[in-house]
Amino acid sequence: MGKIELRIEIDADLLAEARAAGLSIVEITEAAVRAKLPAKTDEDKARRWAEDNAEAIKANRERIAEYGIFGEDLRSW
């Protein structure tokens, strides 16, 4: 799917602050619009949730791979 150019107006100081923080206005705008659109099906909702949380899911999997599951050493079974 292609992209189109969109002209928006934003407070100049806010934009400068966002740029200084390394934020991508394009990514933030796209994510906000997607979040406001209704998901079409439960599968779409699940896919969108997984996409939105992919970074956290990856970090959690890496933590488990490195340290194991919390409380695993306390299990008696």
Side-chain angles (χ1 to χ4, degrees):
M1 181 164 52
K3 300 222 178 203
I4 63 167
E5 186 174 331
L6 174 66
R7 183 180 180 276
I8 62 171
E9 293 183 16
I10 186 171
D11 180 88
D13 293 336
L14 180 61
L15 180 59
E17 193 174 336
R19 285 181 175 162
L23 299 177
S24 169
I25 301 302
V26 172
E27 289 177 8
I28 292 169
T29 303
E30 287 182 352
V33 171
R34 281 193 184 97
K36 292 292 183 182
L37 292 173
K40 295 177 182 139
T41 65
D42 287 341
E43 187 176 300
D44 291 335
K45 289 178 189 177
R47 184 180 315 109
R48 185 166 46 183
W49 182 89
E51 289 170 359
D52 291 346
N53 294 286
E55 191 174 317
I57 292 168
K58 180 183 175 196
N60 188 51
R61 287 182 180 158
E62 289 171 355
R63 184 191 55 77
I64 289 171
E66 185 173 345
Y67 300 108
I69 298 172
F70 177 77
E72 188 173 26
D73 56 330
L74 303 174
R75 288 193 310 196
S76 61
W77 65 94

